[in-house]
Amino acid sequence: MDIKKIANNIWKVALSLILGGAILYWMYRGFNFKQVEDVLLHKMSWTWMLLSFPFGISAQVFRGWRWKQSLEPLGEKARSSISIYSIFLSYALSLVIPRAGEFARCGVLKKWDDVSFPKALGTVVTERAIDSLLVLLITALVFVMQIPVFLNFFEKTGTSMDSLLCQFTATGYIVTAICGIAVLILAHYLLKRLAIYNKVKATLGGLWQGIISLKGVRNVPLYIALTLGIWLSYFFHYYLTFQCFEATSHLNLMCGLVTFIVGSIAVIVPTPNGAGPWHFAVKTMLILYGIQANDALFFVLIVHSVQTLLVVLLGIYAWIALAFTGKVKSKE
């Protein structure tokens, strides 16, 4: 047993929890949590929240189907059900150990469908690259489209960028700086891990095969449709929650898209399900769109908590389902 490795992993988990916890503590210091119960029971529409759930589920289902497509050109056959269960589990596990789910889902496919772990990991790298590219593209388009909105906002309110920045407290700047540093640390960590993989020829070969696997995808239109379906589902899973609260029910699709993109970028910071950075980023953008600070705090707290609970329930369901699912015979 490698004590140093275990200690290192414990430190990484602890650091992510401390980071997320520190940001949440700063945001909700002095917050009256007793009002949350009143909002949950009397002041929000659970109908809209429940209507958002199918989109949260479909996003993960589409990801499982897309992953299966990525593996087929490599000669690896995974059952659709196992691919989906592995995605459910990976998201739930990442709530405990950030980023660990990506390795865990490859392990599930290896254990139940005897899919090559290195090849599966390679396709995960490909997925992340494609998703990141799509998010960057949408971000650029949204930014260009929203420039007139922000300029109009500043003109009508007489707000200058300097006065807007002055509303940030010293702690706000510190939190922003910490999030930026955390992103740099994550990038360094990923590069370091890739350097380790490069020392293992078999793993390197599997990663490369996964990256080039898109060339052999049999149904490219379906792959693209699934990719768009993933992100449309994520968006509507988030946007429908605007209708749950009176304070946000008037916000339009573009506002939803802007806050969704900002939140998606914020979760790059390795905290459990983006807790902390996501709250901070979305709350800040909602305030820019005219939502009162207290209403924005209620929104991000309740929406993130409920959607995280859904991830947990799907993970439990997948764990139970896998326990009753047979394994294929090993090819070795």
Side-chain angles (χ1 to χ4, degrees):
M1 184 180 291
D2 191 338
I3 302 298
K4 184 178 179 180
K5 185 176 181 181
I6 294 175
N8 189 40
N9 289 334
I10 292 175
W11 165 245
K12 289 173 184 174
V13 174
L15 184 62
S16 71
L17 291 174
I18 292 171
L19 175 59
I23 296 173
L24 289 173
Y25 173 77
W26 168 74
M27 288 181 61
Y28 288 95
R29 66 195 188 284
F31 183 75
N32 186 358
F33 284 95
K34 291 182 179 179
Q35 293 181 357
V36 175
E37 181 180 357
D38 183 51
V39 172
L40 287 171
L41 296 178
H42 307 295
K43 295 182 179 179
M44 67 170 284
S45 170
W46 277 98
T47 300
W48 283 103
M49 184 66 76
L50 292 175
L51 286 174
S52 75
F53 283 6
F55 291 100
I57 298 170
S58 64
Q60 295 191 39
V61 171
F62 289 155
R63 189 174 288 282
W65 287 343
R66 187 183 68 170
W67 194 24
K68 179 183 177 183
Q69 264 210 314
S70 299
L71 289 165
E72 287 176 352
L74 305 179
E76 300 292 342
K77 295 182 179 180
R79 286 170 285 180
S80 294
S81 59
I82 301 301
S83 298
I84 293 170
Y85 295 156
S86 70
I87 297 296
F88 287 172
L89 272 178
S90 71
Y91 276 81
L93 180 60
S94 291
L95 296 177
V96 182
I97 308 175
R99 315 304 176 196
E102 295 179 355
F103 295 92
R105 61 160 154 155
C106 297
V108 169
L109 255 62
K110 172 63 180 175
K111 185 173 182 179
W112 266 267
D113 280 348
D114 197 32
V115 171
S116 166
F117 187 92
K119 290 181 181 180
L121 187 59
T123 57
V124 171
V125 173
T126 307
E127 278 189 357
R128 292 308 178 196
I130 291 172
D131 289 337
S132 298
L133 183 61
L134 183 60
V135 170
L136 287 174
L137 178 61
I138 296 173
T139 301
L141 291 173
V142 168
F143 177 76
V144 171
M145 293 172 67
Q146 286 297 95
I147 287 178
V149 175
F150 292 126
L151 291 178
N152 185 52
F153 168 82
F154 293 135
E155 182 181 350
K156 285 187 175 182
T157 60
T159 305
S160 66
M161 187 57 72
D162 290 338
S163 64
L164 187 64
L165 292 176
C166 285
Q167 295 180 20
F168 258 54
T169 62
T171 311
Y173 282 112
I174 292 172
V175 171
T176 303
I178 289 174
C179 289
I181 292 171
V183 171
L184 294 176
I185 292 174
L186 175 62
H188 172 74
Y189 170 72
L190 291 176
L191 289 173
K192 185 177 179 182
R193 292 303 297 264
L194 285 175
I196 294 173
Y197 290 143
N198 289 342
K199 297 177 183 179
V200 185
K201 185 176 180 180
T203 303
L204 177 60
L207 287 170
W208 176 245
Q209 288 184 56
I211 292 171
I212 65 173
S213 66
L214 288 183
K215 294 181 179 179
V217 170
R218 295 172 186 172
N219 194 333
V220 175
L222 177 59
Y223 189 93
I224 295 173
L226 289 173
T227 300
L228 294 176
I230 290 169
W231 286 97
L232 283 172
S233 294
Y234 280 142
F235 172 68
F236 283 111
H237 182 43
Y238 165 74
Y239 180 66
L240 287 180
T241 61
F242 278 13
Q243 303 303 317
C244 295
F245 306 90
E246 184 179 352
T248 56
S249 60
H250 68 282
L251 297 176
N252 58 26
L253 276 170
M254 186 54 71
C255 173
L257 188 57
V258 171
T259 54
F260 171 73
I261 288 296
V262 170
S264 298
I265 295 173
V267 299
I268 293 175
V269 180
T271 60
N273 205 29
W278 185 89
H279 293 72
F280 176 72
V282 174
K283 174 226 171 187
T284 301
M285 292 306 299
L286 287 175
I287 290 175
L288 181 60
Y289 276 93
I291 304 302
Q292 294 298 314
N294 206 50
D295 291 328
L297 285 173
F298 276 118
F299 176 85
V300 294
L301 177 64
I302 293 173
V303 169
H304 187 274
S305 299
V306 173
Q307 292 187 346
T308 298
L309 178 60
L310 177 62
V311 171
V312 172
L313 293 176
L314 290 176
I316 293 173
Y317 166 73
W319 177 66
I320 295 173
L322 284 171
F324 291 93
T325 303
K327 302 171 185 177
V328 301
K329 293 183 179 179
S330 174
K331 292 175 283 192
E332 298 178 359

